[in-house]
Amino acid sequence: HHRNTLQFNRDSHRKQLFYIGVRVSVELLSESAPSPVLFVVRQKQAVLSFQVPLILRGLYQRKYQYTQLGRTLCQPPTKAVAETQFFFVDVSTLSSAGVQYQLRVSRVDRFTLQTDKKFSFNATPSQPQFFRYVFPEGVDTVIVKVNSQKNFPCSVMSIQDIQCPVYDLDNNVAFIGMYQTMTTTAAITVQRKDFPSNSFYVVVVVKTEDEACGGSLRFYPLLPERSLESVGRSRHESLSSVEEDDYDTLADIDSDKNIVRTKKFLCVSDLARKDKRILSKKYQIYFWNIATIAVFYALPVIQLVITYQTVVNVTGNQDICYYNFLCAHPLGALSSFNNILSNLGYVLLGLLFLLIVLQRDILHNRALERNENTALECGIPKHFGLYYAMGTALMMEGLLSACYHVCPNYTNFQFDTSFMYMIAGLCMLKLYQKRHPDINASAYSAYACLAAVIFFSVLGVVFGKGNTAFWIIFSVIHILATLLLSTQLYYMGRVCVCVSDSGILRRMLNVIYTDCIRQCSGPMYIDRMVLLVMGNIVNWSLAAYGLIKRPNDFASYLLAIAICNLLLYFAFYIIMKLRSGERIQCLALVCILFTAVVWGFALFFFFQGLSTWQKTPAESREHNRECILLSFFDDHDIWHFLSSIAMFGSFLVLLTMDDDLDTVQRDKIYVF
């Protein structure tokens, strides 16, 4: 048993203690030692101990041995203006043979970080580094950034209070404070109010393995030159239940619509035969249903994200949420308030759209009360229930997107997309309803289909990653649903497919043989056939893409399917409207052009990709970027602003595109 005690001291003025650190470095010179050498550093109010060689553990109980160590000593508080601080290093070993080691105690002159000034340093798993930052007068919030020139080794940046001990090893760095894993970039926003001493430690630890950052398990040697900067940002800136069947009592309605729909060319009057009061009640159910869905969906979402944010604040684990840390402005307990605030546009524009629809609804009802002929017999039948549902869905998209951005990650991404599916589905239903008011889907069947879409979205997020069986099943269902919907649209809802109907397949094959092979007659409804053929090509292509590529972001893939079908239907409607001799009024034309331009800019900012939960948190931070608008909003915030305007514009297009028909008799308006 061998033991030595070494004494060191430093004479310093109290103010200088904040700017100068002390580092103890040890290197084991003996090639092999039967027992480790133990080092205990005793300071005033602090003790630091370690052994050489140092053994750190990784996954699957892998062991990593280091013979070179370097540790910076923490700084116990002192009240004296000037004093001599002593610390002792006890060295002991149980080895019977002599052990050679080299011990060095050195000053760390650049121990205190300076605002807006970079400097470089080296670190290894056994030689972590930490530095001190003191808030200058007038600065309440800073962003601490660490950059590395290469992706690996995987590292951790931690923000810790000024106290002893400092947790600066791979196996304890997550115990206190806030931390992030990193490959090339890390950024943590720190507020003065969270640190009573107006200062904090910035700790950088290199992990023994790269698995936490998405790398392989093999160990990487030290790669030099990490730079660290602390950027101050002044907080003085201004931050800126009615059922359709209850009313539809006409006994011969089914036979009547079967006869009507055998006409070669249909007019709107042929598919607007039901009592307008019945249809108004039917379509108002869309609004009340989505309002009910919104309440029951939003409440647990809000509760969950509050829990997420609480966990982040309590544990300090900033790997839970995938923010753009280079532009994350906290407000109270919210870590990235700018991403939440930018969703306000959806809510305000959704409310504005509801007010515009309400005004049109009131004017139309007054015209009906005066028995005006244009309101009774002319134009596209005006039913506003779906418009109210669309406005509500836009507001809910803003609320749920804000909830998602409280803590964006893999498990809650569906909050951000659920009402996007709703919006796409409602817009398609509204387009179809314009010319088919009598045979449009009921609210119950429509929302049931949307619920099935969201159900598949959840399944895709949980099971879709690299799962061949899931993608085969989904692609088959996608193609079958496309064929079934195409048949229903082509025959305007007069094809009945029942589960118990065992002869349906035989009859379908017989129709194909008779019409397409035996006599090869052309389709009766060419325009509709063109749309459906194009729609099938697009959907089959999307199904093939999903089956071959199997994208990790299944929710976005599903949303892309919905948006492609909506855009295809939109384009078909406008083309057929112009082909039928109708015209688009100036207001609607301006809305179309303006919306197309805004969508283009919005998608540009959407594809910037400032973070991605498909990768590890450290890899996600490689995509982080600085604020680009008012030093407060980032690219994704601009996507929120522009997409909310574009959606509002799209709704206005739907609302106004058939205003030119308000004085045209319905028996002169074609169905397509």
Side-chain angles (χ1 to χ4, degrees), residues 182-216:
M182 64 168 284
T183 52
T184 59
T185 305
I188 296 182
T189 301
V190 187
Q191 299 184 79
R192 181 194 290 262
K193 68 179 180 62
D194 296 330
F195 296 92
S197 64
N198 294 328
S199 58
F200 56 85
Y201 285 140
V202 178
V203 184
V204 177
V205 175
V206 179
K207 298 185 72 66
T208 56
E209 296 172 338
D210 295 328
E211 189 272 342
C213 296
S216 62

Side-chain angles (χ1 to χ4, degrees), residues 145-350:
K145 305 174 188 175
V146 175
N147 299 313
S148 176
Q149 294 178 345
K150 296 191 177 182
N151 291 5
F152 296 106
C154 177
S155 306
V156 178
M157 177 173 70
S158 172
I159 302 296
Q160 301 179 21
D161 199 2
I162 303 295
Q163 63 180 23
C164 294
V166 177
Y167 293 89
D168 59 352
L169 290 178
D170 184 15
N171 56 10
N172 64 19
V173 69
F175 285 0
I176 63 170
M178 301 179 289
Y179 65 92
Q180 293 178 358
T181 55
M182 64 168 284
T183 52
T184 59
T185 305
I188 296 182
T189 301
V190 187
Q191 299 184 79
R192 181 194 290 262
K193 68 179 180 62
D194 296 330
F195 296 92
S197 64
N198 294 328
S199 58
F200 56 85
Y201 285 140
V202 178
V203 184
V204 177
V205 175
V206 179
K207 298 185 72 66
T208 56
E209 296 172 338
D210 295 328
E211 189 272 342
C213 296
S216 62
L217 284 177
R218 65 180 184 274
F219 173 72
Y220 286 81
L222 171 66
L223 296 174
E225 297 311 308
R226 294 185 178 276
S227 64
L228 183 146
E229 59 178 306
S230 177
V231 179
R233 182 196 303 139
S234 174
R235 252 340 207 192
H236 298 305
E237 301 171 359
S238 58
L239 301 179
S240 339
S241 156
V242 178
E243 298 284 352
E244 179 189 359
D245 295 339
D246 294 341
Y247 297 89
D248 193 4
T249 56
L250 187 59
D252 61 344
I253 187 67
D254 282 329
S255 60
D256 177 66
K257 60 188 178 186
N258 283 332
I259 294 170
V260 166
R261 275 175 255 171
T262 58
K263 293 170 61 177
K264 174 73 173 177
F265 296 105
L266 290 177
C267 297
V268 169
S269 58
D270 297 323
L271 297 180
R273 300 166 67 87
K274 289 184 181 180
D275 190 310
K276 65 181 68 67
R277 293 171 299 176
I278 297 173
L279 291 180
S280 292
K281 294 289 186 182
K282 171 184 176 180
Y283 294 127
Q284 283 298 329
I285 298 175
Y286 273 97
F287 168 70
W288 292 112
N289 275 13
I290 201 169
T292 304
I293 292 169
V295 171
F296 283 93
Y297 192 96
L299 289 178
V301 167
I302 294 172
Q303 180 182 9
L304 181 62
V305 296
I306 289 175
T307 303
Y308 267 120
Q309 186 67 72
T310 302
V311 170
V312 172
N313 293 338
V314 170
T315 65
N317 183 357
Q318 296 209 345
D319 282 359
I320 296 176
C321 307
Y322 290 68
Y323 301 118
N324 174 17
F325 289 94
L326 291 177
C327 182
H329 293 258
L331 179 68
L334 299 173
S335 296
S336 186
F337 179 65
N338 53 300
N339 288 155
I340 298 171
L341 180 64
S342 58
N343 284 284
L344 188 61
Y346 295 104
V347 179
L348 296 179
L349 290 175

